[in-house]
Amino acid sequence: MTEDKISNIVIGCAIEVHKNLGPGLLESAYQECLFYELKKNNLEVEKEKALPIIYKEVKLDHGYRLDLLVENKVVIELKTVEALNDVHTAQVLTYLKLGGYKLGLLFNFHSTLLKNNMRRFVM
């Protein structure tokens, strides 16, 4: 399945979660519900996937953790903040670079309308 097809399914699932829960919950609640929806759509999903940092010949296991990784292709980062900013963008771009992934999605569930608070990143 292509990254574009996966992202369309993910966006639909995220909207479904937000439609049912609305804003105001913790990030972990949205993560669990989105994980459930993605699994229900027969997608392979990993939660809190470790992303080590490789520095020269040294592998540092104290790297990052991806909120969700779908089909080992699409990185999903979830936020519940007043507004997305450059730090959130940098975080997703770093994950894409370190993991060698091509597509990342950033969702801010702390919003009235989720479609206005999601970003798509392509490497």
Side-chain angles (χ1 to χ4, degrees), residues 79 81 83-93 106 119 121:
K79 299 293 178 198
V81 294
L84 294 173
N85 61 44
D86 293 342
V87 171
H88 304 124
T89 297
Q91 184 180 14
V92 176
L93 293 174
L106 173 61
R119 294 185 185 160
F121 302 91

Side-chain angles (χ1 to χ4, degrees), residues 21-76:
L21 298 178
L25 301 177
L26 295 174
E27 181 183 308
S28 58
Y30 297 109
Q31 182 184 36
E32 287 299 322
C33 294
L34 184 54
F35 179 80
Y36 168 81
E37 287 292 333
L38 295 170
K39 293 294 265 184
K40 196 170 99 176
N41 277 271
N42 298 314
L43 293 173
E44 178 189 327
V45 188
E46 295 177 75
K47 278 189 290 188
E48 299 294 325
K49 178 166 174 63
L51 184 62
I53 297 171
I54 309 296
Y55 177 74
K56 297 186 179 181
E57 65 279 349
V58 178
K59 179 180 176 183
L60 306 171
D61 289 324
H62 298 297
Y64 298 99
R65 293 205 174 275
L66 306 176
D67 284 342
L68 297 169
L69 180 63
V70 183
E71 295 287 320
N72 204 34
K73 292 182 178 182
V74 178
V75 173
I76 301 174

Side-chain angles (χ1 to χ4, degrees), residues 10 30 51 66 82 93 100 104 111 116 118 122:
V10 169
Y30 297 109
L51 184 62
L66 306 176
E82 287 295 322
L93 293 174
S111 61
N116 295 335
M118 64 175 79
V122 179

Side-chain angles (χ1 to χ4, degrees), residues 97-111:
K97 181 180 174 185
L98 289 175
Y101 303 110
K102 294 180 184 174
L103 182 66
L105 297 169
L106 173 61
F107 296 101
N108 182 15
F109 281 91
H110 187 71
S111 61

